[in-house]
């Protein structure tokens, strides 16, 4: 795979010297070697080692460790990395002459690629620098919170967002309501917990729902919870930072008015790219960014003020999405779930291990969590993380915000091998 990439790079450098243009970079991206088309279903393709060997040839591996901590951010595939490098050079060479004249037009390609991939109109998408920025825009510019209202979040939500919700409630004289979900749960159980809490909370105004938890990869039944919340007059923000690309979905399936994303985890863009989704007709509830104006409440991008940002990272978005689509979103989700199932199915039979999160397929993703039975403290889990790393050569991360206690998060990637997963299984068996 590396030889053709090199010759294309030379070609690109040549064409960039000639033109210095974005079009030349895009032309390079179009010349990627193809991944074979397969007639297999996503679930069958998930087990096709030859296919995933071809996919993994598009990535450089981490040396010296079995890295099962891919939930922090995602590795760019080599063609995306190459495109990003060339785009960085182009922006750096052309500078303000590029940014003043062409950036705005070119950035629309990235908005369109995001919108197309999520199956919503581009007018409903704004780019941001990360999911946090999009979440802050929604929360702090949301107009509806009065003293006495309630704001809701759950222990499986992104910890920083839990704290932001608590701070927002305090600022506005509202009541913060936290849901503690069971350590293990199915889709139906999750739905019931949320329904009970929504029903029993007075003056509930706004809640966040995390599509895929960063703690143990649990998937919430967002569409069902959001429909129930809507019936009760509650506004919902869906956090898709960890879900887009980890699982295969489009926004209409989630049935939410507002959602936040990043592309630097599972879409494989350069670091520094996020997105905000606001459904048409809902913008009057969220003020424009302070100082911006949008008299008709139709412009999502007026909710964000990105200032000077990493132009090249945003320009690489269409290439990242194209590569993601080449691998195949359904196949990627199925492969990652297959890798989780490989260690979880064995760990469930080890009495000294407690597997956390999903108990059914609908609530599972490729990300998972576990702890040593009964060892729930931060110190115990941090020690376990060190032991896995130093004794067994398996890199993971401790997560500490579940109501049931701390856990180790295990996150494979599309280039993770069965051997990597088996190294974890062997380590788990040795912990008895
Ligand atoms: C569930 C979840 N939400 C939000 C975020 C924040 O994403 P970003 O760093 O792009 O703002 C993360 C990052 O790990 C996450 O896992």
């Amino acid at each position: 795979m590396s030889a053709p990439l090199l010759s294309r790079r030379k070609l690109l450098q040549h064409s960039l010297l000639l033109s210095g243009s974005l079009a030349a970079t895009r032309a390079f991206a179009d010349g990627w070697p193809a991944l074979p088309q397969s007639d297999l279903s996503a679930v069958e393709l998930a087990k096709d080692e030859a296919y995933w060997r071809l996919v993994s040839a598009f990535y450089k591996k981490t040396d010296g460790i079995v890295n099962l901590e891919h939930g922090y951010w995602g590795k760019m595939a080599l063609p995306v990395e190459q495109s990003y490098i060339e785009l960085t050079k182009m922006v750096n060479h052309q500078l303000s002459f590029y940014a003043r004249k062409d950036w705005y037009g070119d950035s629309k390609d990235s908005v369109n690629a995001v919108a197309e991939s999520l199956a919503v109109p581009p007018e409903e998408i704004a780019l941001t620098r990360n999911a946090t920025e999009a979440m802050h825009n929604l929360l702090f510019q949301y107009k509806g919170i009065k003293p006495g209202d309630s704001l809701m979040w759950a222990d499986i939500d992104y910890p920083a967002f839990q704290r932001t919700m608590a701070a927002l409630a305090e600022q506005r004289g509202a009541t913060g309501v936290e849901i503690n979900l069971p350590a293990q749960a199915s889709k139906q159980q999750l739905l019931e917990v949320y329904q009970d809490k929504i029903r029993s909370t007075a003056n509930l105004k706004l809640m966040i729902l995390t599509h895929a938890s960063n703690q143990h990869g649990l998937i919430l039944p967002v569409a069902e919870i959001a429909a129930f919340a809507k019936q009760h007059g509650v506004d919902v923000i869906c956090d898709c930072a960890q879900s887009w690309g980890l699982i295969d979905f489009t926004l209409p399936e989630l049935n939410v008015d507002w959602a936040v994303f990043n592309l630097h985890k599972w879409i494989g863009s350069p670091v520094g790219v996020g997105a905000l989704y606001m459904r048409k007709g809902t913008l009057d509830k969220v003020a424009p960014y302070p100082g911006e104006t949008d008299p008709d409440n139709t412009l999502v991008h007026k909710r964000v003020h990105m200032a000077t940002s990493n132009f090249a990272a945003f320009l690489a978005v269409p290439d990242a999405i194209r590569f993601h689509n080449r691998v195949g979103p359904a196949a990627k989700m199925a492969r990652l779930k297959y890798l989780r199932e490989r260690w979880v199915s064995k760990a469930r039979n080890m009495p000294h291990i407690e597997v956390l999160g999903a108990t059914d397929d609908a609530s599972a993703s490729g990300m998972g969590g576990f702890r040593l039975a009964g060892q729930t403290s931060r110190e115990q889990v941090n020690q376990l993380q060190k032991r896995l790393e130093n004794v067994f050569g398996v890199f993971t991360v401790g997560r500490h915000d579940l109501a049931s206690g701390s856990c180790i998060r295990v996150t494979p990637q599309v280039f993770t091998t069965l051997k990597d997963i088996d190294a974890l299984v062997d380590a788990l068996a040795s912990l008895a």
Side-chain angles (χ1 to χ4, degrees):
M1 294 287 166
S2 56
L5 280 176
L6 204 69
S7 60
R8 273 195 314 286
R9 182 165 68 231
K10 284 202 178 120
L11 245 175
L12 170 66
Q13 280 165 350
H14 181 64
S15 55
L16 275 178
L17 281 176
L18 288 179
S19 69
S21 74
L22 179 69
T25 311
R26 292 256 184 274
F28 160 72
D30 281 338
W32 297 340
L35 280 164
Q37 296 292 316
S38 172
D39 292 335
L40 297 177
S41 72
V43 171
E44 286 166 337
L45 194 56
K47 300 176 200 156
D48 181 346
E49 294 311 308
Y51 180 76
W52 297 102
R53 264 196 302 280
L54 286 174
V55 171
S56 63
F58 284 89
Y59 295 88
K60 283 254 186 266
K61 285 204 95 171
T62 311
D63 290 331
I65 195 93
V66 173
N67 191 342
L68 294 178
E69 182 2 21
H70 292 289
Y72 192 168
W73 80 92
K75 190 170 286 197
M76 280 180 267
L78 289 170
V80 180
E81 178 189 277
Q82 194 55 49
S83 168
Y84 176 48
I85 290 167
E86 300 304 343
L87 287 162
T88 303
K89 286 187 200 165
M90 187 274 285
V91 171
N92 192 49
H93 297 173
Q94 302 292 325
L95 226 59
S96 53
F97 186 63
Y98 168 74
R100 299 251 180 247
K101 293 164 82 73
D102 294 326
W103 155 246
Y104 181 67
D106 289 346
S107 70
K108 286 189 180 159
D109 289 350
S110 303
V111 173
N112 290 341
V114 170
E116 188 186 350
S117 185
L118 292 168
V120 293
E123 300 73 42
E124 299 186 346
I125 295 287
L127 296 176
T128 62
R129 283 166 291 197
N130 45 51
T132 302
E133 178 170 43
M135 180 62 91
H136 286 183
N137 291 134
L138 287 172
L139 290 180
F140 291 111
Q141 291 154 230
Y142 180 72
K143 293 192 221 161
I145 308 167
K146 303 183 300 304
D149 284 341
S150 299
L151 309 186
M152 185 178 280
W153 64 91
D155 66 325
I156 61 143
D157 293 332
Y158 188 55
F161 294 170
Q162 295 183 43
R163 293 194 290 272
T164 305
M165 288 292 276
L168 186 64
E170 195 178 331
Q171 259 180 26
R172 308 282 168 92
T175 305
V177 180
E178 180 172 357
I179 301 184
N180 289 335
L181 293 171
Q184 294 88 9
S186 66
K187 175 177 173 176
Q188 188 55 32
Q189 287 167 326
L190 293 165
L191 181 57
E192 282 166 16
V193 174
Y194 271 96
Q195 287 177 335
D196 284 352
K197 203 76 180 181
I198 291 170
R199 221 183 269 116
S200 63
T201 301
N203 304 324
L204 182 55
K205 185 82 192 173
L206 177 70
M207 65 191 294
I208 55 174
L209 289 178
T210 302
H211 194 192
S213 173
N214 82 310
Q215 304 284 304
H216 49 10
L218 183 80
I219 303 297
L220 284 187
V222 169
E224 290 87 344
I225 301 170
F228 191 81
K230 197 166 247 178
Q231 282 166 21
H232 288 74
V234 181
D235 287 322
V236 170
I237 300 173
C238 187
D239 173 1
C240 298
Q242 201 63 260
S243 62
W244 188 27
L246 174 69
I247 57 174
D248 182 28
F249 67 95
T250 61
L251 259 171
E253 290 167 45
L254 293 190
N255 189 29
V256 290
D257 287 344
W258 304 326
V260 304
F261 301 87
N262 60 43
L263 288 86
H264 45 227
K265 290 193 194 288
W266 294 101
I267 298 300
S269 78
V271 168
V273 185
L276 166 63
Y277 166 74
M278 297 183 75
R279 203 204 296 252
K280 194 175 171 202
T282 67
L283 276 67
D284 57 328
K285 291 184 178 178
V286 178
Y289 188 87
E292 299 284 350
T293 53
D294 180 19
D296 299 326
N297 285 315
T298 52
L299 305 173
V300 179
H301 71 268
K302 291 287 183 185
R303 269 73 199 158
V304 182
H305 186 85
M306 282 210 298
T308 312
S309 309
N310 188 345
F311 302 102
F314 289 105
L315 292 171
V317 162
D319 289 341
I321 292 182
R322 201 173 325 174
F323 188 81
H324 173 65
N325 289 336
R326 293 249 175 129
V327 176
K332 190 165 157 182
M333 171 173 86
R335 173 66 174 181
L336 295 168
K337 285 176 79 163
Y338 173 67
L339 293 176
R340 174 183 180 270
E341 193 50 32
R342 189 173 175 95
W343 71 264
V344 162
S345 59
K346 305 213 171 86
R348 282 217 173 93
N349 294 324
M350 299 179 192
H352 62 289
I353 302 288
E354 183 187 6
V355 177
L356 297 157
T359 57
D360 60 357
D361 187 60
S363 317
S365 68
M367 186 182 266
F370 75 94
R371 61 171 79 104
L372 286 174
Q375 301 204 8
T376 57
S377 75
R378 176 181 284 265
E379 294 68 35
Q380 286 167 326
V381 166
N382 283 345
Q383 265 179 22
L384 177 56
Q385 186 280 326
K386 284 202 186 85
R387 210 168 146 203
L388 288 169
E389 180 180 338
N390 299 332
V391 180
F392 300 101
V394 177
F395 187 64
T396 57
V397 67
R399 299 287 80 185
H400 305 289
D401 285 82
L402 294 175
S404 69
S406 294
C407 70
I408 295 284
R409 178 175 82 187
V410 177
T411 317
Q413 249 286 9
V414 290
F415 44 82
T416 299
T417 61
L418 300 186
K419 211 169 137 221
D420 293 338
I421 298 293
D422 293 345
L424 173 70
V425 172
D426 290 347
L428 295 185
S430 308
L431 293 170

